[in-house]
Amino acid sequence: MTGDPIRRALDDVWYCVGESRSVRPGGMRSVSLGEEAVVVGREETGALFALRDRCPHRGMALSAGRMVDGNLVCPFHGWQFRPDGVCAAIPALARRDDANFASVRLARFAVAEKSGLIWVNAGRDPDGAPPIPEVDFAYCGQLVEILEVEASFDLVALSFVDPAHVAYVHDSWWWRPSKTMKEKVKHFAPSPFGFTMTSHTAKTASLAYRLLGSIPEVEIEFRLPGVRLERITAGEKRLANYTFASPLANGRTALINAMYWNIPALNLLKPVARPLMRQFLGQDRDVLQIAQRGLDRKPAMVLMGESDVQSQWYFSLKREFLRAREAGSAFVNPLEPRELRWRS
């Protein structure tokens, strides 16, 4: 990835690249981490692997091939690679060829799966990166939607910490029944690699909340690189609404929303919930793509008022993360507890 490090996606972190079910045993698929093409596959044992999706012979995408006897087979000349990236065979070699094909290796990336999602880290220190989000309760239902957005990673990630846009972008009968702008008061505290809007009782009786049967307690955490974790509790009922940004090629960004719940009755509503989720994300996608065209003409933002403080925090966190990586030191959260007020 190139350009101003504060104005692009971070390199040394975990990014969500899709659902676990998208890669079955013996299968593989191509994903993007910025301009890096990655092939993610699953061995017959169920173990995942992630390798550079480029055969070193003639540049062929290995994801266009297939897996045979546990190896990736390039569809161009049949070169084979083990899941650890080591070349296992070059069929065209003659007996007298003096070539050590085992010295040919593909770049290998860290890969993991948590809560039904696959994550890849193309950096050098996966253990030092912000942790992969997990669901902290036994869920019986899951719903995932992924959209591609023609907008920068920063612009998409900033939408996760932008409370002022909700009244204008998500003005839906099922999400925002009240058209009245009200002043909100929220308390924030630093958390590992980010900040948390401390638990509070939801005031808005939206349809999504009413389905829980009572007004719930809500906690929202943001963490690097672009992760928003909304945890909703109503007695024993739990609902998690997680949103992620992942960089794609050519300046695009994946907008990923994953919901989890422990309420069996909500499983019956999945056919209705999916189009609503797609509509909600589509509203963000459409406005972000228009905004990106404006930033392409003049790449500057004017952040003003307490409604934009979280956006300022986002850039502060990125700067500290990059400084710590360059210095080889531990990340130290630069934020302080604070009360914020805004109208929405």
Side-chain angles (χ1 to χ4, degrees):
M1 302 176 187
T2 60
D4 180 355
I6 300 300
R7 297 292 179 178
R8 61 170 170 78
L10 297 171
D11 294 329
D12 205 3
V13 290
W14 293 96
Y15 289 110
C16 180
V17 297
E19 294 185 73
S20 294
R21 65 178 183 174
S22 67
V23 183
R24 305 205 178 271
M28 56 185 176
R29 62 184 291 259
S30 178
V31 303
S32 295
L33 285 183
E35 301 304 320
E36 182 74 78
V38 179
V39 55
V40 175
R42 192 183 298 276
E43 300 179 55
E44 292 294 345
T45 62
L48 286 171
F49 61 86
L51 304 168
R52 177 164 290 145
D53 192 12
R54 180 185 181 278
C55 181
H57 182 213
R58 303 286 175 92
M60 185 65 187
L62 294 168
S63 58
R66 57 198 177 100
M67 292 190 67
V68 177
D69 297 328
N71 292 334
L72 285 78
V73 180
C74 177
F76 201 174
H77 297 90
W79 285 33
Q80 296 185 26
F81 296 89
R82 300 200 311 250
D84 63 2
V86 176
C87 185
I90 300 178
L93 290 181
R95 289 184 179 179
R96 66 182 185 180
D97 275 323
D98 184 17
N100 178 18
F101 56 77
S103 64
V104 179
R105 294 173 178 265
L106 302 171
R108 188 180 184 187
F109 307 120
V111 62
E113 54 186 330
K114 303 283 186 182
S115 303
L117 300 173
I118 298 175
W119 298 77
V120 174
N121 187 321
R124 294 168 295 177
D125 183 22
D127 293 336
I132 299 172
E134 293 188 72
V135 179
D136 60 359
F137 59 89
Y139 58 91
C140 66
Q142 176 185 11
L143 187 60
V144 179
E145 190 68 29
I146 303 174
L147 296 183
E148 291 190 7
V149 185
E150 298 283 345
S152 71
F153 180 89
D154 271 345
L155 193 58
V156 175
L158 286 173
S159 71
F160 302 166
V161 292
D162 175 20
H165 85 283
V166 176
Y168 297 93
V169 177
H170 302 300
D171 189 13
S172 304
W173 65 267
W174 56 275
W175 181 254
R176 186 180 170 84
S178 173
K179 307 301 181 183
T180 304
M181 297 280 284
K182 300 178 181 178
E183 184 165 301
K184 308 289 178 64
V185 181
K186 305 296 181 184
H187 298 272
F188 292 82
S191 52
F193 297 99
F195 52 89
T196 298
M197 180 192 297
T198 53
S199 183
H200 61 280
T201 301
K203 302 295 184 183
T204 303
S206 68
L207 175 61
Y209 288 160
R210 289 202 302 270
L211 290 173
L212 297 176
S214 61
I215 301 298
E217 292 288 319
V218 180
E219 178 186 86
I220 300 176
E221 176 191 353
F222 177 86
R223 71 173 70 151
L224 292 176
V227 171
R228 181 185 186 274
L229 307 175
E230 183 175 5
R231 306 178 182 98
I232 303 167
T233 303
E236 297 298 318
K237 297 176 181 177
R238 303 285 301 278
L239 191 149
N241 184 33
Y242 290 179
T243 313
F244 317 115
S246 289
L248 302 174
N250 302 317
R252 296 172 297 121
T253 304
L255 175 59
I256 304 162
N257 194 207
M259 295 186 69
Y260 307 85
W261 55 86
N262 68 350
I263 311 159
L266 292 186
N267 291 327
L268 301 175
L269 298 178
K270 287 179 71 172
V272 176
R274 185 175 293 280
L276 294 179
M277 177 187 286
R278 191 175 294 127
Q279 176 190 349
F280 190 91
L281 296 178
Q283 292 168 339
D284 278 320
R285 176 198 58 206
D286 295 345
V287 75
L288 289 168
Q289 291 181 160
I290 296 171
Q292 184 62 57
R293 292 197 287 270
L295 288 174
D296 287 342
R297 292 190 292 271
K298 186 177 179 60
M301 300 181 188
V302 177
L303 301 178
M304 186 174 295
E306 294 189 27
S307 64
D308 280 339
V309 166
Q310 295 178 68
S311 296
Q312 295 168 346
W313 286 347
Y314 168 74
F315 288 115
S316 295
L317 290 164
K318 285 185 70 174
R319 288 189 182 92
E320 174 56 25
F321 186 86
L322 288 166
R323 187 209 64 76
R325 278 290 190 267
E326 184 176 347
S329 59
F331 173 84
V332 178
N333 194 321
L335 306 182
E336 299 286 343
R338 183 170 174 183
E339 175 190 277
L340 295 179
R341 294 172 180 261
W342 62 81
R343 290 175 58 82
S344 64

